[in-house]
Amino acid sequence: MIRSLLVANRAEIARRIVRTCRDLGIATVAVHSDADADAPHAREADAAVRLPGDAPADTYLRGDLLVKAALAAGADAVHPGYGFLSEHADFARAVRAAGLVWVGPPPEAMEAMASKTRAKEIMRKAGVPLLDPLDPAEVTAGDLPVLVKAAAGGGGRGMRVVRELAALPAELDSARAEAASAFGDGEIFVEPYMEGARHVEVQVLADNHGTVWTLGTRDCSLQRRHQKVIEEAPAPGLEEELRRTLGESAANAARAIGYEGAGTVEFLVSPSGRAYFLEMNTRLQVEHPVTEEIHGLDLVALQLRIAEGERLDAEPPAPRGHAVEARLYAEDPARGWRPQTGILHRLEVPGLRVDSGPDGGDAIGVHYDPMLAKVIAVAPTRAEAVRRLAHGLERARIHGPVTNRELLVRALRHPEFEAGRMDTGFLERHLPELTAEASENGEAVPLAALAAALADAARRPATVAGRLGGWRNVPSQPQLRSYRAEPGGTEHEVGYRLTRDGLLAEGLPDVRLLTVEPGWAADPGRDTQSGRAADPGRAVQPGRDADPARVVLDVAGVRRTFEVTAYGDRRYVDTPQGGHVFTALPRFPDPTARTEPGSLLAPMPGTVVRIAEVAVGDRVEAGQSLLWLEAMKMEHRVTAPAAGVLTALHAAPGRQVEVGALLAVVAAGE
């Protein structure tokens, strides 16, 4: 029996495992880097062990430190979660060699699937259908498009879609470099890229007595940068014969390598309905909750019981209903999916299952994946589950860095998705419409900006009339406030007057003010969002811990309620129809706040990982890659903004940069 478990991971999955252990009566030990010292997973476990440093290579990827932490804390088992060392056979062997229980598959099974090239050979012998690889040196124009993939990788790292033959050599080199940096293994391979394919996977669960479960299918086709964004179970629209083929192939794959525990066999399904083996993940998947919800299981609890030697029942529970999961990321989809950092002041999604990493009041840093939470809806039918998830996300209160929330809501409501006609190119194909700013002709954004202005005015210590600008018996100039919508940067000037007939808003003739209830600043020694004492070493910003103001407007006879929360110069306006974020602009902008033409500034905090073969004085073309930044487990290219001459280069491999740091200067002309 496992009595104490070390969770060799962080954030959402660590909290998920701790929650199940608490239900099973198992004590838990967390590990944390210095950046995660006050993270929820470290607070919620029964004990926590520090891993000195911030970077994953110094902390969560140090198997020796993890084993040492387990022994020091008296744990008798280790659960790796997903990511980090969860699929490293050597780590599993080290755990077992220390006399600890490894909550995962045998190291030999992990090793068999660790290399995608070797995995395909094993699957071929097991009769699992797969795509034939291509020799990179013999790829022709007729083979295009092709997919370059890292043999040892995952999560979209070291992966490139190549559509032009001339671009293949450079993409091969780039994929090798990224794979070597991310996985310590630069091996890559090439295979046909299947346009219009779906990503469908099968959850497997196997005990050490020979029983193998296949728990239906999941569709994970909505992806960005080859990383999943929306997943659902069961995969919609599959013929019964195809479902049977997928289940049998997944079971054969598990038996071929002597698998034990939870794992996932992933397939590409062509538009014609043929399935091809993609890879096997020898761990728990991020998207496991949708399978749990429809089968009524706790997969983490089953992992633990299998590790203790228990037998599975002969057959798994039958599925019921439909579940959909959306991954909420701190990123800006409209700007190259740039990861975002900062304080997450508030995260509330009422009525749905939320598996989150950070809580309100926690900082989102640069060292780790930008996923904030997984939001899961379940219902008797797919249509109801999709509707519930979109509605819940729309009403969510998310105060902090820019997120992909709006993209998720729009994707869930897109006609193609609602009809179940999605594929792996969905987000790329529809990105412009999914990230477009709200129409200027609509009233949603102007009304939200007006609510922000009225809330700001109402916070002044005076009578209501005084706070809103006072009443005069002759016409006067309107009160003016300016806000910038985030993200996007569109500026909105709000003008209003308080007359004998009530509020008059510029450009909104059918709007009347019903109520303004100003928010009150909370005790500066307490963070009202997280319930924790405020960090005495952190300056409390004006409005940092403020309660929301409530603004009620009559809009053409319809009562509308707006909840406005202020943190510094940011205003978060939440409504039942969605949320809006504004930055309050000063009346007199600083005229010195400008950047010299041609300056390339860091779009995010991160680490310079590579510099292109360019030098100061070289001529560069518009869009030419100059350097690569790594932030939150993703690489981002920094390119020349226009044709010109590289006149300065302020970057070197390994250099840490903050957002806005000057990286290079490209002067236009000769």
Side-chain angles (χ1 to χ4, degrees), residues 251-313:
N252 291 339
R255 292 190 178 99
I257 59 173
Y259 200 77
E260 296 174 15
T264 300
V265 185
E266 304 193 347
F267 299 87
L268 282 178
V269 176
S270 71
S272 64
R274 293 192 61 184
Y276 300 93
F277 173 79
L278 186 62
E279 63 184 1
M280 182 175 184
N281 290 309
T282 55
R283 53 170 169 80
L284 195 66
Q285 290 281 87
V286 179
E287 58 272 20
H288 74 273
V290 292
T291 297
E292 290 184 324
E293 292 294 337
I294 66 170
H295 284 274
L297 296 171
D298 183 331
L299 290 178
V300 174
L302 287 169
Q303 283 184 296
L304 293 167
R305 288 171 179 144
I306 289 171
E308 290 179 329
E310 289 191 24
R311 290 177 179 268
L312 294 172
D313 293 337

Coordinates of all heavy atoms in Angstrom, one line a residue, residues 251-313:
A251 N -5.2 -1.3 -28.2 CA -5.0 -2.4 -27.4 C -3.8 -3.2 -27.8 O -2.9 -3.7 -27.0 CB -6.2 -3.3 -27.3
N252 N -3.6 -3.4 -29.1 CA -2.5 -4.2 -29.7 C -1.2 -3.4 -29.4 O -0.2 -4.1 -29.1 CB -2.6 -4.4 -31.2 CG -3.8 -5.4 -31.5 OD1 -4.1 -6.2 -30.7 ND2 -4.3 -5.3 -32.7
A253 N -1.2 -2.1 -29.5 CA 0.0 -1.3 -29.2 C 0.4 -1.5 -27.7 O 1.6 -1.7 -27.4 CB -0.3 0.2 -29.5
A254 N -0.6 -1.5 -26.8 CA -0.3 -1.6 -25.4 C 0.3 -3.0 -25.1 O 1.3 -3.2 -24.4 CB -1.5 -1.3 -24.6
R255 N -0.3 -4.0 -25.7 CA 0.2 -5.4 -25.4 C 1.5 -5.6 -26.0 O 2.3 -6.4 -25.5 CB -0.9 -6.4 -26.0 CG -2.2 -6.4 -25.2 CD -3.1 -7.6 -25.7 NE -4.3 -7.6 -24.9 CZ -5.5 -7.1 -25.4 NH1 -5.5 -6.5 -26.6 NH2 -6.6 -7.1 -24.6
A256 N 1.8 -5.0 -27.2 CA 3.1 -5.2 -27.9 C 4.3 -4.8 -27.0 O 5.4 -5.3 -27.2 CB 3.1 -4.4 -29.2
I257 N 4.1 -3.9 -26.1 CA 5.2 -3.4 -25.3 C 5.1 -3.7 -23.8 O 5.8 -3.2 -23.0 CB 5.4 -1.9 -25.5 CG1 4.1 -1.1 -25.0 CG2 5.8 -1.5 -26.9 CD1 4.3 0.4 -25.0
G258 N 4.1 -4.6 -23.5 CA 3.9 -5.0 -22.1 C 3.5 -3.8 -21.2 O 4.1 -3.6 -20.1
Y259 N 2.6 -3.0 -21.7 CA 2.2 -1.8 -21.0 C 1.5 -2.0 -19.7 O 0.7 -3.0 -19.6 CB 1.4 -0.9 -21.9 CG 1.4 0.6 -21.5 CD1 2.5 1.4 -21.8 CD2 0.4 1.1 -20.8 CE1 2.6 2.7 -21.4 CE2 0.4 2.4 -20.4 CZ 1.5 3.2 -20.7 OH 1.6 4.5 -20.3
E260 N 1.7 -1.1 -18.7 CA 1.0 -1.1 -17.5 C 0.7 0.4 -17.1 O 1.5 1.2 -17.3 CB 1.8 -1.7 -16.3 CG 2.1 -3.2 -16.5 CD 3.0 -3.8 -15.4 OE1 3.2 -3.1 -14.4 OE2 3.5 -4.9 -15.6
G261 N -0.5 0.6 -16.5 CA -0.8 2.0 -16.1 C -1.6 2.7 -17.2 O -2.2 2.1 -18.1
A262 N -1.7 4.0 -17.1 CA -2.5 4.8 -18.0 C -1.5 5.3 -19.2 O -0.4 5.7 -18.9 CB -3.0 6.1 -17.3
G263 N -2.1 5.3 -20.4 CA -1.3 5.7 -21.5 C -2.3 6.1 -22.6 O -3.5 5.8 -22.6
T264 N -1.8 6.7 -23.7 CA -2.6 7.2 -24.8 C -2.0 6.8 -26.1 O -0.8 7.1 -26.3 CB -2.9 8.7 -24.7 OG1 -3.5 9.0 -23.5 CG2 -3.8 9.1 -25.9
V265 N -2.8 6.2 -27.0 CA -2.3 5.9 -28.3 C -3.0 6.9 -29.3 O -4.2 7.0 -29.3 CB -2.6 4.5 -28.7 CG1 -2.0 4.1 -30.1 CG2 -2.1 3.5 -27.7
E266 N -2.2 7.7 -30.0 CA -2.7 8.7 -30.8 C -2.6 8.4 -32.3 O -1.7 7.7 -32.8 CB -1.9 10.0 -30.6 CG -1.8 10.4 -29.1 CD -1.3 11.9 -28.9 OE1 -0.7 12.4 -29.9 OE2 -1.5 12.4 -27.8
F267 N -3.6 8.8 -33.0 CA -3.8 8.5 -34.5 C -4.1 9.8 -35.3 O -4.7 10.7 -34.7 CB -4.9 7.5 -34.7 CG -4.7 6.2 -34.0 CD1 -5.2 6.0 -32.7 CD2 -4.1 5.1 -34.7 CE1 -5.0 4.8 -32.1 CE2 -4.0 3.9 -34.0 CZ -4.4 3.7 -32.7
L268 N -3.7 9.8 -36.5 CA -4.3 10.7 -37.5 C -5.4 10.0 -38.3 O -5.1 8.8 -38.7 CB -3.2 11.2 -38.4 CG -2.2 12.3 -37.9 CD1 -1.2 12.6 -39.0 CD2 -3.0 13.5 -37.5
V269 N -6.5 10.6 -38.4 CA -7.6 10.0 -39.2 C -7.8 10.9 -40.5 O -8.0 12.1 -40.4 CB -8.9 10.0 -38.4 CG1 -10.0 9.5 -39.3 CG2 -8.7 9.1 -37.2
S270 N -7.6 10.3 -41.6 CA -7.6 11.0 -42.9 C -9.0 11.4 -43.2 O -10.0 10.8 -42.7 CB -7.1 10.1 -44.0 OG -8.0 9.1 -44.3
P271 N -9.2 12.4 -44.2 CA -10.6 12.8 -44.6 C -11.4 11.6 -45.1 O -12.6 11.6 -45.0 CB -10.3 13.8 -45.6 CG -9.0 14.4 -45.3 CD -8.2 13.3 -44.8
S272 N -10.7 10.6 -45.6 CA -11.4 9.4 -46.2 C -11.8 8.4 -45.1 O -12.4 7.4 -45.3 CB -10.5 8.7 -47.2 OG -9.3 8.2 -46.6
G273 N -11.3 8.7 -43.8 CA -11.7 7.8 -42.7 C -10.7 6.7 -42.4 O -11.0 5.8 -41.6
R274 N -9.5 6.8 -42.9 CA -8.4 5.8 -42.5 C -7.6 6.3 -41.4 O -7.3 7.5 -41.3 CB -7.5 5.5 -43.7 CG -8.2 4.8 -44.9 CD -7.3 4.3 -45.9 NE -6.3 3.3 -45.3 CZ -5.3 2.8 -46.0 NH1 -5.1 3.1 -47.2 NH2 -4.5 1.9 -45.4
A275 N -7.2 5.4 -40.5 CA -6.5 5.8 -39.3 C -5.0 5.4 -39.4 O -4.7 4.3 -40.0 CB -7.1 5.1 -38.0
Y276 N -4.1 6.2 -38.9 CA -2.7 6.0 -39.0 C -2.1 6.3 -37.6 O -2.3 7.3 -37.0 CB -2.0 6.8 -40.0 CG -2.5 6.6 -41.4 CD1 -3.5 7.4 -42.0 CD2 -2.0 5.6 -42.3 CE1 -4.0 7.2 -43.2 CE2 -2.4 5.4 -43.5 CZ -3.5 6.2 -44.0 OH -3.9 6.0 -45.3
F277 N -1.3 5.4 -37.1 CA -0.6 5.5 -35.8 C 0.3 6.8 -35.8 O 1.1 7.0 -36.8 CB 0.2 4.3 -35.5 CG 1.1 4.5 -34.3 CD1 0.6 4.3 -33.0 CD2 2.5 4.7 -34.4 CE1 1.3 4.4 -31.9 CE2 3.3 4.9 -33.2 CZ 2.7 4.7 -32.0
L278 N 0.2 7.6 -34.8 CA 1.0 8.8 -34.7 C 2.1 8.6 -33.6 O 3.3 8.8 -33.9 CB 0.1 10.0 -34.3 CG 0.7 11.4 -34.3 CD1 1.2 11.7 -35.7 CD2 -0.4 12.4 -33.9
E279 N 1.7 8.3 -32.4 CA 2.6 8.1 -31.3 C 1.9 7.5 -30.1 O 0.6 7.5 -30.1 CB 3.3 9.4 -30.9 CG 2.4 10.4 -30.4 CD 3.1 11.7 -30.1 OE1 4.3 11.8 -30.3 OE2 2.5 12.7 -29.6
M280 N 2.6 7.0 -29.2 CA 2.0 6.6 -27.9 C 2.7 7.4 -26.8 O 3.9 7.5 -26.6 CB 2.2 5.1 -27.6 CG 1.6 4.7 -26.3 SD 1.6 2.9 -26.1 CE 0.6 2.7 -24.6
N281 N 1.8 8.0 -26.0 CA 2.3 8.8 -24.8 C 2.2 7.9 -23.6 O 1.1 7.5 -23.2 CB 1.5 10.0 -24.6 CG 1.7 11.1 -25.7 OD1 2.9 11.4 -25.9 ND2 0.7 11.6 -26.3
T282 N 3.3 7.6 -23.0 CA 3.4 6.6 -21.9 C 3.2 7.3 -20.6 O 4.1 7.2 -19.7 CB 4.7 5.9 -22.0 OG1 5.8 6.8 -22.0 CG2 4.8 5.0 -23.2
R283 N 2.1 8.0 -20.4 CA 1.8 8.8 -19.2 C 0.4 9.2 -19.3 O -0.4 8.9 -20.2 CB 2.7 10.1 -19.2 CG 2.6 10.9 -20.5 CD 3.2 12.2 -20.5 NE 3.3 12.9 -21.7 CZ 2.3 13.5 -22.4 NH1 1.1 13.6 -21.8 NH2 2.5 14.1 -23.5
L284 N 0.0 9.9 -18.3 CA -1.4 10.5 -18.2 C -1.4 11.7 -19.1 O -0.4 12.5 -19.2 CB -1.7 10.9 -16.8 CG -3.1 11.3 -16.4 CD1 -4.0 10.0 -16.5 CD2 -3.2 11.9 -15.0
Q285 N -2.5 11.9 -19.9 CA -2.6 13.0 -20.8 C -3.2 14.2 -20.1 O -4.0 14.1 -19.2 CB -3.4 12.6 -22.0 CG -2.8 11.6 -23.0 CD -1.8 12.3 -23.9 OE1 -0.7 12.4 -23.6 NE2 -2.3 12.6 -25.1
V286 N -2.9 15.4 -20.7 CA -3.5 16.6 -20.2 C -5.0 16.5 -20.3 O -5.7 17.0 -19.4 CB -3.0 17.9 -21.0 CG1 -3.6 19.1 -20.5 CG2 -1.4 18.0 -20.9
E287 N -5.5 16.0 -21.3 CA -6.9 15.9 -21.6 C -7.7 14.8 -21.0 O -8.8 14.5 -21.3 CB -7.2 15.9 -23.1 CG -6.5 14.8 -23.9 CD -5.1 15.1 -24.3 OE1 -4.5 16.0 -23.8 OE2 -4.7 14.4 -25.3
H288 N -7.0 14.1 -20.0 CA -7.7 12.9 -19.4 C -9.0 13.2 -18.7 O -9.9 12.3 -18.6 CB -6.8 12.3 -18.4 CG -6.6 13.0 -17.1 ND1 -5.7 14.0 -16.9 CD2 -7.3 12.9 -15.9 CE1 -5.8 14.5 -15.7 NE2 -6.7 13.9 -15.1
P289 N -9.3 14.5 -18.3 CA -10.6 14.7 -17.6 C -11.8 14.4 -18.5 O -12.9 14.0 -17.9 CB -10.6 16.2 -17.3 CG -9.1 16.5 -17.1 CD -8.5 15.7 -18.1
V290 N -11.8 14.6 -19.8 CA -13.0 14.3 -20.6 C -13.3 12.8 -20.6 O -14.5 12.4 -20.6 CB -12.8 14.9 -22.1 CG1 -12.8 16.4 -22.1 CG2 -11.6 14.3 -22.8
T291 N -12.3 12.0 -20.5 CA -12.5 10.5 -20.4 C -13.1 10.2 -19.1 O -14.0 9.4 -18.9 CB -11.2 9.8 -20.7 OG1 -10.8 10.0 -22.1 CG2 -11.4 8.3 -20.5
E292 N -12.5 10.8 -18.0 CA -13.0 10.6 -16.7 C -14.5 10.9 -16.6 O -15.3 10.2 -16.0 CB -12.2 11.5 -15.7 CG -10.8 11.0 -15.5 CD -10.1 11.8 -14.4 OE1 -10.4 13.1 -14.3 OE2 -9.3 11.3 -13.7
E293 N -14.9 12.1 -17.1 CA -16.3 12.6 -17.0 C -17.3 11.6 -17.6 O -18.3 11.4 -17.1 CB -16.4 14.0 -17.6 CG -15.6 15.0 -16.8 CD -16.2 15.2 -15.4 OE1 -17.4 14.9 -15.2 OE2 -15.4 15.7 -14.5
I294 N -17.0 11.1 -18.8 CA -18.0 10.3 -19.5 C -18.0 8.8 -19.0 O -19.0 8.1 -19.2 CB -17.9 10.3 -21.0 CG1 -16.6 9.7 -21.5 CG2 -18.0 11.8 -21.5 CD1 -16.5 9.5 -23.0
H295 N -16.9 8.4 -18.4 CA -16.8 7.0 -17.9 C -17.0 6.9 -16.4 O -17.1 5.8 -15.8 CB -15.5 6.4 -18.2 CG -15.3 6.0 -19.7 ND1 -15.8 4.8 -20.2 CD2 -14.8 6.6 -20.8 CE1 -15.5 4.7 -21.5 NE2 -15.0 5.8 -21.8
G296 N -17.1 8.1 -15.7 CA -17.3 8.1 -14.3 C -16.1 7.5 -13.5 O -16.3 6.7 -12.5
L297 N -14.9 7.8 -14.0 CA -13.7 7.2 -13.4 C -12.7 8.3 -12.9 O -12.8 9.5 -13.3 CB -12.9 6.4 -14.4 CG -13.6 5.1 -15.0 CD1 -12.8 4.6 -16.1 CD2 -13.8 4.1 -13.9
D298 N -11.8 7.9 -12.0 CA -10.7 8.8 -11.6 C -9.5 8.1 -12.0 O -9.0 7.1 -11.5 CB -10.7 8.9 -10.0 CG -9.6 9.8 -9.5 OD1 -8.5 9.9 -10.2 OD2 -9.8 10.5 -8.5
L299 N -8.9 8.5 -13.1 CA -7.7 7.9 -13.7 C -6.5 7.9 -12.9 O -5.7 7.0 -12.9 CB -7.4 8.5 -15.1 CG -8.5 8.2 -16.2 CD1 -8.1 8.8 -17.5 CD2 -8.6 6.7 -16.4
V300 N -6.3 9.0 -12.1 CA -5.2 9.0 -11.2 C -5.3 8.0 -10.1 O -4.4 7.3 -9.7 CB -5.1 10.4 -10.5 CG1 -4.0 10.4 -9.5 CG2 -4.8 11.5 -11.6
A301 N -6.6 7.8 -9.6 CA -6.8 6.8 -8.6 C -6.5 5.4 -9.1 O -5.9 4.5 -8.5 CB -8.2 6.8 -8.0
L302 N -6.9 5.1 -10.4 CA -6.6 3.9 -11.0 C -5.2 3.7 -11.3 O -4.6 2.5 -11.1 CB -7.4 3.8 -12.4 CG -8.9 3.6 -12.2 CD1 -9.6 3.8 -13.6 CD2 -9.2 2.2 -11.6
Q303 N -4.4 4.7 -11.6 CA -3.0 4.6 -11.7 C -2.4 4.1 -10.4 O -1.5 3.3 -10.4 CB -2.4 6.0 -12.1 CG -2.5 6.4 -13.5 CD -1.8 7.7 -13.8 OE1 -2.1 8.7 -13.3 NE2 -0.7 7.6 -14.6
L304 N -2.8 4.7 -9.3 CA -2.3 4.4 -8.0 C -2.6 2.9 -7.6 O -1.8 2.2 -7.1 CB -2.8 5.3 -7.0 CG -2.3 6.8 -7.1 CD1 -3.1 7.7 -6.2 CD2 -0.8 6.9 -6.8
R305 N -3.8 2.5 -7.9 CA -4.2 1.1 -7.6 C -3.5 0.1 -8.4 O -3.1 -0.9 -7.9 CB -5.7 1.0 -7.8 CG -6.5 1.7 -6.7 CD -8.0 1.8 -7.0 NE -8.7 2.5 -5.9 CZ -9.7 3.3 -6.1 NH1 -10.2 3.5 -7.3 NH2 -10.3 3.9 -5.0
I306 N -3.2 0.4 -9.7 CA -2.5 -0.5 -10.5 C -1.0 -0.6 -10.0 O -0.4 -1.6 -10.0 CB -2.5 0.0 -12.0 CG1 -3.9 -0.2 -12.6 CG2 -1.4 -0.7 -12.8 CD1 -4.1 0.4 -14.0
A307 N -0.5 0.6 -9.6 CA 0.9 0.6 -9.0 C 1.0 -0.3 -7.8 O 2.0 -0.8 -7.4 CB 1.3 2.0 -8.7
E308 N -0.2 -0.4 -7.0 CA -0.2 -1.2 -5.8 C -0.5 -2.7 -6.1 O -0.5 -3.5 -5.2 CB -1.3 -0.7 -4.9 CG -1.0 0.7 -4.3 CD -2.1 1.2 -3.4 OE1 -3.3 0.9 -3.7 OE2 -1.8 1.9 -2.4
G309 N -0.7 -3.0 -7.4 CA -0.9 -4.4 -7.8 C -2.3 -4.8 -8.0 O -2.5 -6.0 -8.2
E310 N -3.3 -3.9 -7.9 CA -4.7 -4.3 -8.0 C -5.0 -4.7 -9.4 O -4.4 -4.3 -10.4 CB -5.6 -3.2 -7.5 CG -5.6 -2.9 -6.0 CD -6.7 -2.0 -5.6 OE1 -7.7 -1.9 -6.3 OE2 -6.5 -1.4 -4.5
R311 N -6.1 -5.5 -9.6 CA -6.6 -5.9 -10.9 C -7.7 -5.0 -11.3 O -8.5 -4.5 -10.5 CB -7.2 -7.3 -10.8 CG -6.2 -8.5 -10.6 CD -6.9 -9.8 -10.5 NE -6.0 -10.9 -10.3 CZ -5.5 -11.6 -11.3 NH1 -5.8 -11.3 -12.6 NH2 -4.7 -12.6 -11.1
L312 N -7.7 -4.8 -12.6 CA -8.8 -4.1 -13.2 C -10.0 -5.1 -13.4 O -9.7 -6.3 -13.5 CB -8.4 -3.5 -14.6 CG -7.4 -2.4 -14.6 CD1 -7.0 -2.0 -16.0 CD2 -7.9 -1.1 -13.9
D313 N -11.2 -4.5 -13.5 CA -12.3 -5.4 -13.8 C -12.1 -5.9 -15.3 O -11.4 -5.3 -16.1 CB -13.6 -4.6 -13.7 CG -14.0 -4.3 -12.3 OD1 -13.5 -5.0 -11.4 OD2 -14.7 -3.3 -12.1

